[in-house]
Amino acid sequence: MKELQIIADIHTDFPEKFGIPRQSGLVEGATGTIVFRPAYRSKEAVRGLNGFSHIWLIWGFSEAERENWSATVKPPRLGGRKRMGIFATRSPHRPNPIALSAVKLEEILMDEKLGTILKVSGVDMLDGTPIYDIKPYLPYADSYPDALAGFGGEVYDHKLSVVFPEELLHKLPKEKQDSAIVLLSQDPRTAYIHDESRIWGVFYAGFNIRFYVAGEVLTVVEVGEQYS
């Protein structure tokens, strides 16, 4: 069997795993730029792709590779204490560290040096994540509105109220403000740690957003540059 080839890399606003949306599409304003590797920079390879609103990305968990795998994992959204079968979860610690995400195709650009570039939104990937394949999303075949969500549906609707003082919010670029609020509302904390005195930090779009959570309310206390 032929070894998988990395065809592209995606650049996002997430420099570390903590805080990345747990699924694609949950933060619509989370954007990414897909840059093809030199061998795949043919404009012919994307002919017809502009007719699709969404695409599938097949990508690699580049920071989750392990020599061994476990048949069960503890999903964070179940409190990190209850075990589920690996194939009943989307845990990154898999026999093969690959994943798929459905993202919105915002724009196809041509760059003199980099060739074809894809602008996408709704990403859930670390900056620099390798892309193995791209396929068009077909609503008639890929969407099952009546599908059951198993235990995943039990935690989907959990949202926090976000208090983001205006003087802090305005430190972020205007186009990143709404997506930052949505990201925080989804509770990026480690699920089994509920210390209300703890100050957490999420790196997003070049900024370190620091916050605490009391009950169901997340309050932002500081916004600093990522490397300050």
Side-chain angles (χ1 to χ4, degrees), residues 173-189:
K174 187 175 182 179
E175 68 274 14
K176 302 294 182 181
Q177 293 174 8
D178 288 345
S179 54
I181 292 173
V182 174
L183 179 69
L184 294 170
S185 74
Q186 295 176 6
D187 196 354
R189 298 174 299 166

Side-chain angles (χ1 to χ4, degrees), residues 17 59-76 83-99 192:
K17 292 183 291 183
W59 51 277
F61 286 112
S62 55
E63 293 195 7
E65 296 184 11
R66 294 182 175 182
E67 292 186 4
N68 301 313
W69 70 283
S70 173
T72 61
V73 294
K74 297 178 180 179
R83 285 195 171 273
M84 292 291 179
I86 182 65
F87 300 127
T89 76
R90 296 193 176 188
S91 167
H93 306 298
R94 319 188 68 78
N96 294 301
I98 55 176
Y192 48 85

Side-chain angles (χ1 to χ4, degrees), residues 204-217:
Y204 176 63
F207 293 87
N208 182 5
I209 304 174
R210 295 173 62 79
F211 63 90
Y212 69 88
V213 178
E216 295 297 304
V217 180

Side-chain angles (χ1 to χ4, degrees), residues 72-138:
T72 61
V73 294
K74 297 178 180 179
R77 297 304 279 179
L78 292 182
R81 295 183 177 87
K82 187 175 181 179
R83 285 195 171 273
M84 292 291 179
I86 182 65
F87 300 127
T89 76
R90 296 193 176 188
S91 167
H93 306 298
R94 319 188 68 78
N96 294 301
I98 55 176
L100 75 166
S101 296
V103 299
K104 185 177 181 181
L105 179 59
E106 298 285 355
E107 192 175 11
I108 302 177
L109 302 175
M110 293 300 299
D111 182 271
E112 290 185 4
K113 294 182 178 180
L114 301 177
T116 305
I117 293 176
L118 306 183
K119 297 285 187 177
V120 297
S121 62
V123 303
D124 59 343
M125 286 158 278
L126 188 71
D127 183 41
T129 289
I131 306 295
Y132 292 111
D133 204 358
I134 297 170
K135 299 177 183 291
Y137 179 94
L138 302 175

Side-chain angles (χ1 to χ4, degrees), residues 145-181:
D146 298 326
L148 300 178
F151 66 86
E154 300 172 11
V155 298
Y156 174 77
D157 291 328
H158 177 254
K159 298 288 190 300
L160 296 176
S161 297
V162 176
V163 177
F164 207 138
E166 286 192 18
E167 66 272 16
L168 297 179
L169 182 62
H170 289 163
K171 290 186 177 183
L172 301 178
K174 187 175 182 179
E175 68 274 14
K176 302 294 182 181
Q177 293 174 8
D178 288 345
S179 54
I181 292 173

